Amino acid sequence: MPSFDIVSKVDTQTLDNAVNTVKKEITNRFDFKDSHVNMELNKKDLALNVEVESDMKLTQVIDVLISRTMRQGLDANIYDLSKEPYQSGKVVKKEIPVRNGIKQEDAKKIVKLIKDSGIKVQAAIMDDIVRVTGKKIDDLQEVIQKTKEANLGIPLQYVNMKS
C-alpha cells in the first residue's frame, strides 16, 4: 500500500551555514558599524541567541536571518519568534528556538485536516512524524497539496514515499 511520512526536520549544517552568512553580512553592513551584535547557535538545544544594542537593530537582524535562511533552502517557519526580547544592561537579548520535529498538538491538527478533507487515506501519528497511507498515489499527492495549502505555521517535509 502506498505511503509517505510528514516530518519537520531541520538540517543543522544548513542552519549553521545560514547563521554564519548572517554574521558576515551584519559585520559588513554600514548601519551596524561599531555596534554590538552577537549571534550564537546552540546546536545541542537548537536555539539561536541574539544580542544587539536596540529593538530596531534586533528587527533588522531577524529580517536578515529570515532572508538568508530562505536563500539556504530552509523554511522561514523554523524560527519560533513568539518569545519577547528582554533588556540586559545596555543590550537587548532574544532567544529564538528552532522548531525541529512535529509536536503532538500540531500532529493532531495535521491528522484532523487530512480526515476533514474527505480523501480516502489513513493518517497515523508516530512519535514526531505523521504517516499517511492510501490505496492510490494520487490520493497521497492530494494530501500533500492540502497540507501545503493549509499553512499550519510549521515547516513540513514529505519523505519516505513508497508505492
Side-chain angles (χ1 to χ4, degrees), residues 4 6 113-114 117 119 121 132 138-148 158:
F4 73 94
I6 300 174
L113 175 79
I114 293 169
S117 69
I119 305 169
V121 294
V132 181
D138 292 344
D139 292 341
L140 298 180
Q141 290 173 340
E142 196 175 336
V143 168
I144 291 173
Q145 200 60 39
K146 289 276 187 203
T147 55
K148 281 183 180 178
Y158 308 94

Side-chain angles (χ1 to χ4, degrees), residues 3 23 27 31 35 38 46 49 53-54 71 80 88 94 102 107 110 116 118 135 153 163:
S3 69
K23 285 181 186 177
T27 55
D31 53 341
S35 64
N38 188 13
L46 270 180
N49 295 312
E53 288 178 347
S54 66
R71 282 192 187 160
D80 183 10
S88 176
K94 181 168 182 155
I102 300 175
I110 293 170
D116 290 347
K135 290 184 180 177
S163 55

Side-chain angles (χ1 to χ4, degrees), residues 2-159:
S3 69
F4 73 94
D5 296 336
I6 300 174
V7 297
S8 180
K9 299 268 188 243
V10 176
D11 182 19
T12 52
Q13 186 59 48
T14 309
L15 179 64
D16 190 37
N17 290 344
V19 170
N20 289 335
T21 307
V22 170
K23 285 181 186 177
K24 272 186 188 171
E25 181 174 329
I26 286 179
T27 55
N28 292 333
R29 276 180 56 161
F30 180 74
D31 53 341
F32 283 99
K33 207 153 229 48
D34 298 329
S35 64
H36 175 78
V37 177
N38 188 13
M39 285 179 82
E40 289 297 318
L41 176 65
N42 186 344
K43 290 182 185 177
K44 184 180 166 217
D45 299 334
L46 270 180
L48 190 65
N49 295 312
V50 181
E51 197 175 290
V52 293
E53 288 178 347
S54 66
D55 286 332
M56 185 182 81
K57 290 198 177 184
L58 180 66
T59 54
Q60 289 175 335
V61 168
I62 290 173
D63 288 344
V64 171
L65 178 69
I66 289 173
S67 69
R68 291 295 170 214
T69 301
M70 291 176 73
R71 282 192 187 160
Q72 292 283 340
L74 295 172
D75 194 334
N77 289 328
I78 63 171
Y79 301 114
D80 183 10
L81 299 171
S82 61
K83 279 191 176 180
E84 290 296 316
Y86 58 94
Q87 193 77 27
S88 176
K90 291 183 177 180
V91 294
V92 177
K93 293 183 178 182
K94 181 168 182 155
E95 183 183 358
I96 305 172
V98 178
R99 295 181 179 131
N100 195 20
I102 300 175
K103 293 181 184 160
Q104 200 68 27
E105 60 267 10
D106 292 331
K108 287 179 182 177
K109 284 182 194 173
I110 293 170
V111 170
K112 184 178 181 335
L113 175 79
I114 293 169
K115 292 203 187 283
D116 290 347
S117 69
I119 305 169
K120 294 183 178 180
V121 294
Q122 291 80 39
I125 300 171
M126 305 170 115
D127 290 330
D128 62 345
I129 66 170
V130 176
R131 173 149 301 152
V132 181
T133 56
K135 290 184 180 177
K136 298 182 202 166
I137 290 183
D138 292 344
D139 292 341
L140 298 180
Q141 290 173 340
E142 196 175 336
V143 168
I144 291 173
Q145 200 60 39
K146 289 276 187 203
T147 55
K148 281 183 180 178
E149 290 170 359
N151 195 10
L152 299 166
I154 53 174
L156 297 176
Q157 294 88 33
Y158 308 94
V159 297

